[in-house]
């Protein structure tokens, strides 16, 4: 299955991608995660991406398209993949089509803006392994420590309230039009994000299993 996961920042794409990955055995490719890795590694790519990410804006298309091209060509993706956070604009979706990548399903996780702002304030991430937590909804076993690798958890720099508002603006202006793009191709399925992660996961699995 070749899947695109869509949704506002903080809608739970990353968390649901982990669950789908575990159930279907296909890798999640997160452009945000890859860019954060490049920033931590101090590469040229990371340096270029950082200013856009810190401002809550999209990183230029040619950068993320290059990343996706490289990952989708890898052996790991040959039996399917989950795109988490790509495409995020119509030109990116067109580039994916131009690469000849066949998409089976586009799943949009819908969460109202007010909820997003509330959720982002509690989000904590592990800078080492990328695992994501929420102080109220998905707390780590020990406060501020990653369950998976024991590293200290941090607040993502782009989860600051003013950046979150910019990211939401960017989402509505540039990413949301993709819903019409994929609905026209008969690929769009939507799920309403629930309070509890497991409840959203159940809806996600049901949507993916729908014929
Ligand atoms: P995410 O972890 O998916 O929320 O992404 C974090 C940030 O990385 C976004 O706010 C963008 O600045 C950047 N980013 C991730 N994916 C893309 C993409 N497909 N196109 C442009 N920028 C992206």
């Amino acid at each position: 299955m070749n899947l695109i996961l869509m949704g506002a920042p903080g809608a739970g794409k990353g968390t649901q991608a982990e669950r789908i990955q575990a159930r279907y055995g296909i890798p999640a490719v997160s452009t945000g995660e890859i860019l954060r890795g490049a920033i931590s590694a101090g590469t040229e790519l990371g340096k270029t991406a950082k200013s856009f990410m810190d401002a809550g804006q999209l990183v230029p298309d040619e950068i993320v398209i290059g990343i996706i091209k490289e990952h989708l060509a890898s052996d790991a993706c040959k039996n399917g993949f989950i795109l988490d956070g790509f495409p995020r604009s119509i030109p990116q979706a067109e580039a994916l089509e131009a690469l000849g990548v066949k998409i089976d399903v586009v799943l949009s996780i819908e969460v109202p803006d007010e909820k997003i702002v509330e959720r982002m304030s509690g989000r904590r991430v592990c800078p080492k392994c990328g695992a994501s937590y929420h102080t109220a909804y998905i707390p780590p076993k020990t406060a501020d420590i990653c369950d998976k690798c024991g590293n200290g958890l941090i607040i993502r720099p782009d989860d600051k309230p003013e950046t979150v508002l910019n990211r939401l603006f960017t989402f509505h202006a540039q990413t949301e039009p993709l819903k019409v793009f994929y609905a026209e191709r008969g690929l769009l399925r939507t799920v309403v994000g629930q309070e509890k992660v497991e409840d959203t996961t159940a809806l996600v699995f049901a949507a993916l299993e729908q014929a």
Side-chain angles (χ1 to χ4, degrees), residues 9 13 30-33 35-36 52-53 56-59 64 84-88 92 123 156 158 167:
K13 296 186 296 295
S30 158
T31 37
E33 201 55 50
L35 292 167
R36 280 186 289 281
F52 293 97
M53 292 170 77
Q57 293 167 358
L58 295 187
V59 171
V64 283
D84 163 10
F86 183 96
R88 254 178 158 100
Q92 291 181 16
R123 179 149 82 172
R156 262 171 57 173
D158 59 345
R167 290 168 69 198

Side-chain angles (χ1 to χ4, degrees), residues 106-125:
V106 177
L107 189 66
S108 170
I109 305 175
E110 313 271 320
V111 177
D113 285 6
E114 314 80 74
K115 273 268 160 226
I116 294 286
V117 172
E118 181 197 317
R119 282 188 188 188
M120 302 292 252
S121 63
R123 179 149 82 172
R124 300 292 179 272
V125 294

